[in-house]
Amino acid sequence: MAKIAILGYGTVGSGIVEVLSQNADLIKRRAGEELEVKYILDIRDFPGDPWEDKVVHDIEVILNDPQISVVCETMGGEQPAFDFSKRALMAGKSVCTSNKELVANHGAELIALAAKHHCNYLFEASVGGGIPIIRPLISSLTAERVTEICGILNGTTNYILTKMQEERAPFGELLCRAQEKGYAERNPEADIEGYDACRKIAILGSLVTGKSVDYKEIYTEGISGITPEDFAYARVLGDTIKLLATVKEEKDGYLAAVAPALVSEQNPLSGIRNVFNAVFVRGNMQGETMYYGKGAGKLATASAVAADVIDCVKHQGKHVICLWEKEKIELKDFSGVKSRFFVRTAASDEKKAEELFGTVEKVRLDSLPQEFGFVTQEISEAEFQEKTKQLPGFVSRIRIKD
Ligand code: HSE
């Protein structure tokens, strides 16, 4: 029997207990042995909870117990999760986590530590909640040179954008709903401003390059500036708006960015609704593949952690190679990156817009006679910023997904 410990009895931690007990029989057959949750570490007590007798408050109990072979870290945040994970790995205990902040910051170091101590550091649940995307990248697509990943990697913002489009509900109300459903981070700014998606694309970028993508160097923009009026324009263009996280190999280096974009209805990412996430992957041999599923929520995320636990049990005493080195990969300077933009500006700017951007395709809404929208040609970020400074009535802009 394999004995495991869970660090943090919150949404995901309690979900793991539920998954492991509800599917205990088939998990036993698939893992080759029974899995037992021996400890749950939390600072709180849970009187009346069926698992209350498993709760401990001291990490030493877990680290010093030779029976524990796998630790699930579902505490979130940097510390003490980082110290606990390192110490567990040094004790030869595999660690499975949903903690994207920790993985994005220290993935290379923790994987190296696991290799040194013949155990594993697995993090399927850190990207895309329940969607299998890490395992496809590190096992199914290992013969591919992955040249592009473009994904909807945050459930909260996709839920908000979907409802903004379909119900025209106000932003604040939608965020509350996402929080009630357990999708949002403790600090929802991480979702709204794109930081969560940024960490996730840094993890995917590190796996495809085999080096470390520093999330602090990724251009990141969230959805707090997106309004129902933007969706009204998008409808006229036959598009929708999605928060896209991208990493792409170009001739002169890797581009990485997180930003909202107008996505054509022909693009499969446009049909991803509510809390669902999707990751589009382009490989040099296989071409395009896409991975889709619930990007957040208790059981979806917990199931991904539980699958990692089973993998660790199947590979006890053996480190499964995952190429992610500490050396940093240099990203392309975002100011030189080219896109087409949709621009909203005052009706009085019509002549100026043509002078700056040439002949442009214009879009007007009856409900907004004081302004108009137009689509630019492909232009660099720096050049675009320079030109929009000269538009006196500039309202907003959004990039167009190519
Ligand atoms: N807050 C995250 C999201 C949870 O909404 O996608 C899953 O990482």
Side-chain angles (χ1 to χ4, degrees):
M1 181 187 296
K3 305 218 182 224
I4 70 165
I6 296 172
L7 315 186
Y9 199 41
T11 307
V12 183
S14 58
I16 296 170
V17 176
E18 209 172 317
V19 171
L20 292 180
S21 53
Q22 210 167 309
N23 288 347
D25 286 346
L26 68 90
I27 288 176
K28 180 181 171 183
R29 279 183 279 134
R30 287 175 184 162
E33 58 187 302
E34 202 174 320
L35 266 62
E36 184 199 308
V37 175
K38 186 169 180 186
Y39 303 115
I40 296 169
L41 180 82
D42 206 289
I43 48 171
R44 302 162 291 178
D45 284 310
F46 296 87
D49 187 284
W51 299 81
E52 70 173 310
D53 60 321
K54 309 277 182 190
V55 175
V56 294
H57 304 302
D58 183 1
I59 185 70
E60 304 305 328
V61 175
I62 295 167
L63 296 176
N64 294 328
D65 185 339
Q67 284 191 327
I68 296 293
S69 55
V70 186
V71 170
C72 301
E73 185 274 294
T74 52
M75 312 174 77
E78 173 96 7
Q79 285 295 7
F82 186 33
D83 275 350
F84 292 177
S85 300
K86 276 199 292 193
R87 292 186 59 205
L89 295 169
M90 285 191 283
K93 301 177 193 306
S94 288
V95 175
C96 306
T97 188
S98 55
N99 186 340
K100 51 243 160 180
E101 188 180 343
L102 196 60
V103 179
N105 266 317
H106 302 288
E109 183 182 345
L110 291 166
I111 290 167
L113 204 56
K116 190 170 165 197
H117 294 276
H118 312 289
C119 54
N120 290 288
Y121 184 66
L122 301 185
F123 42 91
E124 181 61 72
S126 66
V127 180
I131 310 178
I133 179 61
I134 304 292
R135 197 159 282 105
L137 286 178
I138 64 175
S139 64
S140 319
L141 299 174
T142 37
E144 286 291 308
R145 182 181 184 103
V146 173
T147 54
E148 182 181 357
I149 294 186
C150 181
I152 294 171
L153 295 182
N154 182 270
T156 303
T157 46
N158 203 49
Y159 175 84
I160 292 173
L161 291 175
T162 306
K163 297 294 179 198
M164 196 184 275
Q165 175 173 27
E166 294 176 2
E167 295 175 15
R168 296 167 203 215
F171 193 96
E173 184 196 314
L174 294 172
L175 176 57
C176 286
R177 278 203 249 161
Q179 284 174 308
E180 279 160 22
K181 287 172 183 286
Y183 302 156
E185 296 300 301
R186 226 172 295 159
N187 174 7
E189 199 191 348
D191 298 297
I192 303 308
E193 299 305 340
Y195 311 143
D196 176 79
C198 167
R199 280 157 181 77
K200 290 168 176 168
I201 197 70
I203 294 170
L204 299 183
S206 300
L207 291 176
V208 301
T209 60
K211 298 193 174 154
S212 290
V213 172
D214 184 348
Y215 71 84
K216 295 183 276 309
E217 293 175 3
I218 297 177
Y219 175 83
T220 301
E221 196 182 304
I223 64 159
S224 53
I226 302 295
T227 63
E229 289 75 31
D230 294 319
F231 277 102
Y233 278 111
R235 261 189 293 276
V236 176
L237 292 164
D239 290 348
T240 188
I241 301 170
K242 294 291 180 192
L243 183 66
L244 298 183
T246 308
V247 63
K248 194 172 178 187
E249 184 179 2
E250 298 195 331
K251 280 193 297 292
D252 47 350
Y254 278 93
L255 150 71
V258 174
L262 282 164
V263 179
S264 147
E265 278 166 7
Q266 321 304 319
N267 186 316
L269 290 172
S270 74
I272 311 304
R273 296 174 61 248
N274 296 323
V275 72
F276 284 86
N277 283 191
V279 191
F280 165 92
V281 178
R282 190 189 304 281
N284 68 337
M285 296 290 145
Q286 209 177 64
E288 301 166 3
T289 53
M290 204 160 136
Y291 307 83
Y292 169 79
K294 261 195 180 169
K298 180 175 170 167
L299 292 179
T301 311
S303 172
V305 182
D308 279 349
V309 172
I310 296 166
D311 220 8
C312 290
V313 170
K314 281 160 62 177
H315 293 100
Q316 280 197 59
K318 185 179 185 312
H319 176 72
V320 179
I321 294 174
C322 170
L323 183 64
W324 179 347
E325 288 165 0
K326 212 165 174 182
E327 187 192 336
K328 227 166 80 169
I329 191 139
E330 196 158 325
L331 298 176
K332 273 178 68 163
D333 177 4
F334 195 67
S335 64
V337 171
K338 288 187 171 178
S339 312
R340 287 188 305 136
F341 292 82
F342 176 71
V343 185
R344 286 171 57 188
T345 195
S348 52
D349 282 346
E350 208 162 316
K351 242 180 96 195
K352 190 73 187 167
E354 298 220 323
E355 198 182 302
L356 291 165
F357 293 95
T359 310
V360 290
E361 178 194 339
K362 290 177 203 136
V363 186
R364 294 176 207 278
L365 296 178
D366 291 344
S367 55
L368 291 174
Q370 71 281 17
E371 64 170 72
F372 73 105
F374 67 90
V375 176
T376 71
Q377 302 296 316
E378 210 173 63
I379 181 173
S380 77
E381 292 284 332
E383 206 184 335
F384 177 78
Q385 267 188 27
E386 207 36 59
K387 285 183 193 262
T388 46
K389 272 190 211 149
Q390 299 171 55
L391 274 181
F394 175 75
V395 178
S396 65
R397 56 91 179 99
I398 181 164
R399 293 170 193 85
I400 298 175
K401 166 81 185 131
D402 55 17

